[in-house]
């Protein structure tokens, strides 16, 4: 009876012990990797863990890290100088972990016959110089240009590598995430947008940019013109053996690499 009472008391104490927590915030591009890593940790490696993954954009992830509101920030671009300065002013010292490679893919509706575009032509579309697909060898249909919001890391990459300082036309539509950009192009025959490689499927078709198809090989070697790295950022280098360290280095394991590939991105190592 005494043993039973003691066991009951121990179980009750264990039940009220706080779960190990990990808070992750940031890029909607990196989000599928963050979600899948979190699921693997919670179901296979650490069932006792509680992991939250918020997909609010690279800029919000950087702000969350600098304000100590998350343990790991997901970003689809490197942090800006002003973001580093803000973090350091709060005694946060961001360290980058490159977890995968990605390509910003220019996508159209599957019914659109246009399969190749130069960077110049893409820029002309987004500045409003080209307004109809017939100007590009396609059907007589108005072009509806879809862009990510300006706080997005994907937008930053596209703006820097394609727009080259030119402003987008007032007619360009802005959406908050890769899934929203995907949905808009999927349902709109005249639309063109840009998404991460992991969001290209049978519902949206990627076009070759400057004659280069976005593939695992062209992206990993940086041949595709809009290739980029994807990041986790932490406050300093995480203590080896900590949960943050284990999560941030999971991309180096075979399971981590398989997850990254399954989400349509390019691993940084090859097993």
């Amino acid at each position: 009876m005494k043993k039973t009472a003691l066991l009951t008391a121990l179980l009750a104490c264990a039940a009220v012990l706080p779960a190990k927590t990990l808070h992750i915030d940031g890029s909607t591009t990196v989000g599928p990797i963050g979600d899948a890593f979190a699921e693997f940790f919670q179901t296979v490696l650490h069932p006792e863990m509680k992991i939250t993954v918020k997909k609010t954009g690279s800029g919000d992830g950087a702000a969350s890290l600098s304000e100590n509101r998350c343990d790991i920030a997901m970003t689809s671009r490197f942090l800006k100088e002003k973001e580093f300065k803000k973090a350091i002013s709060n005694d946060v010292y961001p360290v980058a972990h490159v977890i995968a490679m990605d390509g910003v893919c220019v996508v159209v509706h599957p019914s659109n016959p246009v399969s190749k575009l130069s960077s110049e032509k893409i820029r002309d579309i987004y500045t409003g110089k080209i307004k109809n697909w017939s100007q590009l060898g396609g059907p007589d249909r108005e072009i509806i240009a879809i862009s990510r919001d300006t706080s997005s890391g994907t937008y930053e990459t596209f703006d820097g590598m394609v727009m080259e300082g030119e402003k987008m036309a007032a007619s360009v539509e802005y959406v908050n995430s890769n899934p929203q950009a995907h949905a808009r192009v999927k349902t709109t025959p005249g639309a063109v947008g840009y998404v991460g490689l992991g969001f290209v499927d049978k519902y949206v078709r990627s076009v070759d940019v400057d004659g280069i198809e976005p593939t695992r090989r062209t992206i990993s070697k940086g041949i595709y013109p809009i290739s980029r790295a994807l990041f986790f950022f932490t406050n300093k280098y995480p203590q080896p053996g900590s949960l943050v360290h284990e999560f941030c280095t999971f991309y180096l394991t075979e399971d981590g690499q398989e997850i990254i590939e399954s989400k349509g991105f390019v691993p940084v190592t090859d097993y």
Side-chain angles (χ1 to χ4, degrees):
M1 184 67 73
K2 288 183 179 180
K3 288 183 179 179
T4 302
L6 178 60
L7 179 59
T8 301
L10 288 172
L11 289 173
C13 289
V16 299
L17 287 174
K20 296 177 182 178
T21 61
L22 205 58
H23 300 292
I24 302 164
D25 194 357
S27 168
T28 66
T29 299
V30 189
I33 298 175
D35 282 336
F37 278 16
E39 181 181 3
F40 191 88
F41 268 62
Q42 291 177 308
T43 58
V44 179
L45 299 179
H46 296 287
E48 79 284 3
M49 286 188 68
K50 180 181 179 181
I51 306 176
T52 61
V53 182
K54 292 175 62 181
K55 297 175 284 292
T56 55
S58 295
D60 288 340
S64 183
L65 182 70
S66 69
E67 295 166 7
N68 278 305
R69 291 186 283 109
C70 72
D71 301 296
I72 300 170
M74 306 179 293
T75 71
S76 57
R77 58 163 173 78
F78 201 73
L79 263 60
K80 303 175 184 178
E81 182 179 355
K82 64 180 181 181
E83 292 170 331
F84 274 105
K85 288 181 177 179
K86 179 181 177 182
I88 292 169
S89 70
N90 292 330
D91 291 325
V92 173
Y93 300 91
V95 170
H97 310 261
V98 178
I99 64 163
M101 293 297 295
D102 185 29
V104 176
C105 302
V106 177
V107 292
V108 297
H109 191 272
S111 66
N112 191 330
V114 175
S115 60
K116 299 179 180 181
L117 289 170
S118 67
S119 294
E120 182 182 3
K121 294 298 184 184
I122 297 169
R123 187 162 55 251
D124 287 346
I125 289 172
Y126 277 87
T127 57
K129 293 177 183 177
I130 295 177
K131 299 181 179 181
N132 194 292
W133 285 110
S134 62
Q135 297 174 260
L136 299 165
D140 183 10
R141 180 178 289 142
E142 178 188 3
I143 296 175
I144 299 172
I146 311 299
S147 172
R148 288 296 311 281
D149 58 283
T150 56
S151 66
S152 158
T154 304
Y155 169 87
E156 295 277 354
T157 300
F158 186 84
D159 185 56
M161 293 185 170
V162 177
M163 298 307 295
E164 295 183 349
E166 293 196 43
K167 291 185 177 181
M168 292 189 181
S171 59
V172 172
E173 296 181 19
Y174 294 86
V175 296
N176 294 328
S177 66
N178 277 287
Q180 288 181 356
H182 177 279
R184 191 72 174 92
V185 175
K186 171 186 173 182
T187 57
T188 310
V192 61
Y194 54 90
V195 296
L197 179 65
F199 294 87
V200 176
D201 56 21
K202 65 180 181 180
Y203 301 108
V204 297
R205 181 171 53 77
S206 63
V207 301
D208 296 356
V209 177
D210 295 335
I212 306 296
E213 180 185 359
T215 65
R216 173 174 172 167
R217 177 183 172 275
T218 61
I219 290 170
S220 65
K221 293 184 176 298
I223 298 171
Y224 179 67
I226 326 176
S227 299
R228 60 174 176 179
L230 302 180
F231 301 90
F232 284 162
F233 273 89
T234 57
N235 179 11
K236 303 177 183 177
Y237 190 81
Q239 180 67 32
S242 68
L243 290 173
V244 174
H245 181 269
E246 185 177 1
F247 199 92
C248 283
T249 56
F250 185 59
Y251 73 94
L252 293 170
T253 68
E254 291 188 43
D255 287 326
Q257 295 294 304
E258 288 176 5
I259 288 172
I260 288 169
E261 286 190 279
S262 73
K263 295 302 174 183
F265 298 102
V266 184
V268 294
T269 58
D270 189 14
Y271 287 95

